[in-house]
Amino acid sequence: MLANCNFDILMDTASIPDHHELNMKALRAGKHLYSQKPVGLTVDQVNEQIAAAQTAGVKFAASPIHPLRPDIIDVKEMIERGTIGKVTMVRAHAAHGGPEHFQYRAADCGWFFQPGAGALYDMGVHGLTMAVAVMGPAKEVACTAVVSQPERTVRTGTYDGKRLRTDYLPDNYIITLNWGNGTIGVVDAGFTQLASTVNMLEVYGTKGTLTILGQVKIGEGDGVRLYLDSPELKVRGWLEPLSQDRAPRAEFQQCECLLDLIHAIETDTHPTLDPRIARHVVDIMCTIPRAIQEKRTLPLSTDF
């Protein structure tokens, strides 16, 4: 395809372990690239891709899409304006019942549980990306993780009824982050929650709380809510914040990632889905196994 087809942009939506190889082929061939998450399995792999894009003079955008989401952007802007004061804690939620459970699949989903994939790379990447999208790069990480379901049975689709061994990697994670200056975060992620009423993101500050209602979705959540505690205004309670700087945002779609990349190409700017954000999340995910093994908090080596 790279040798014989004339096209500008490659979108890599292959399985997680294949991203790095396919991305490098596309970048070396001079194609602009959007890659599904995570773009690589190590920081070195992501650095290699970033360097290849720079050498080829092409644009490189990296999933997950959360930095593009209108609700994430609203939360980030309110944090930066000091709406909730100093941020004390961030809580992100990214979990479901497992790839064998929650949707129809025509293909064998056993690879999700194998080394090179797993709940951390499939679901943790979402919670971590939401957290750093609103707060910036973290400084430290710690984690507790376990195998809660060592065997599973496919529930729907072509492989309905197939039994899977799923104890190769943890399927249940509690990740803690430290941004310094008294700000910490917790991300719960995994394949062990059949249903939940926990909101996907909540940010706590000295003057209030910001929350995005609902579960992780392809687009935005069910709306941003603001709890404001203002002695000056003599008001305390939940609000639905409305921006005074712009018109209401249009409905958000997954294809916004392509518009983001096209805009970067046409204006010669960085995509909002900057691969340096993805690299930082990969740094966190690669540090987590060592933090688990050593039972301690470890520093992170990247930022964006």
Side-chain angles (χ1 to χ4, degrees):
M1 182 182 69
L2 289 171
N4 298 306
C5 297
N6 182 22
F7 64 95
D8 299 308
I9 297 171
L10 185 136
M11 301 185 73
D12 178 1
T13 60
S15 300
I16 292 170
D18 297 319
H19 290 163
H20 177 62
E21 179 184 358
L22 295 177
N23 291 349
M24 287 302 298
K25 288 180 178 180
L27 294 168
R28 286 169 175 163
K31 305 302 181 184
H32 302 290
L33 173 68
Y34 169 77
S35 175
Q36 259 297 334
K37 50 79 180 172
V39 298
L41 299 180
T42 67
V43 171
D44 286 344
Q45 286 185 353
V46 185
N47 280 334
E48 188 178 0
Q49 292 176 41
I50 292 172
Q54 292 172 343
T55 299
V58 296
K59 301 299 181 182
F60 174 20
S63 181
I65 61 172
H66 304 297
L68 275 178
R69 285 170 39 192
D71 49 1
I72 292 288
I73 293 171
D74 285 343
V75 168
K76 181 176 185 291
E77 290 178 350
M78 282 188 277
I79 290 171
E80 291 173 345
R81 289 197 297 266
T83 303
I84 61 170
K86 176 186 179 294
V87 173
T88 56
M89 183 177 176
V90 179
R91 184 185 299 276
H93 166 72
H96 56 53
E100 85 291 352
H101 173 269
F102 81 110
Q103 69 186 45
Y104 184 96
R105 290 189 186 275
D108 190 344
C109 63
W111 67 268
F112 276 97
F113 302 96
Q114 301 284 336
L120 182 60
Y121 282 150
D122 187 48
M123 293 305 297
V125 66
H126 287 289
L128 292 168
T129 301
M130 285 190 286
V132 302
V134 299
M135 288 302 301
K139 297 182 182 299
E140 297 178 332
V141 63
C143 183
T144 296
V146 296
V147 176
S148 292
Q149 295 178 241
E151 292 185 354
R152 295 169 182 255
T153 301
V154 179
R155 294 284 297 275
T156 63
T158 305
Y159 292 83
D160 187 21
K162 179 178 179 179
R163 296 187 64 82
L164 301 172
R165 177 185 169 187
T166 56
D167 63 349
Y168 301 100
L169 297 166
D171 58 7
N172 202 355
Y173 289 81
I174 298 293
I175 304 162
T176 57
L177 300 171
N178 186 355
W179 281 274
N181 193 32
T183 303
I184 58 174
V186 59
V187 178
D188 72 282
F191 292 153
T192 61
Q193 299 181 25
L194 299 183
S196 172
T197 60
V198 177
N199 291 333
M200 69 173 75
L201 182 72
E202 215 156 67
V203 184
Y204 309 101
T206 54
K207 296 181 179 180
T209 297
L210 285 162
T211 188
I212 298 176
L213 303 180
Q215 306 300 300
V216 174
K217 298 179 179 179
I218 294 299
E220 62 180 312
D222 297 324
V224 177
R225 299 293 184 273
L226 165 66
Y227 181 89
L228 187 64
D229 183 358
S230 174
E232 299 83 6
L233 300 175
K234 300 187 184 303
V235 63
R236 175 187 291 178
W238 286 101
L239 309 168
E240 295 187 24
L242 297 174
S243 174
Q244 297 183 2
D245 300 328
R246 57 178 177 269
R249 300 182 189 273
E251 183 179 356
F252 183 79
Q253 301 290 342
Q254 177 97 336
C255 61
E256 296 285 344
C257 63
L258 185 57
L259 294 177
D260 176 52
L261 180 55
I262 291 171
H263 179 265
I265 295 169
E266 292 179 340
T267 60
D268 192 24
T269 55
H270 287 294
T272 302
L273 298 183
D274 193 321
R276 292 174 297 182
I277 302 174
R279 179 182 62 188
H280 183 63
V281 173
V282 169
D283 182 16
I284 296 172
M285 294 190 297
C286 288
T287 306
I288 282 172
R290 189 160 60 92
I292 295 170
Q293 182 180 21
E294 298 180 13
K295 297 182 179 181
R296 64 188 182 101
T297 301
L298 294 176
L300 299 165
S301 60
T302 60
D303 56 17
F304 55 87

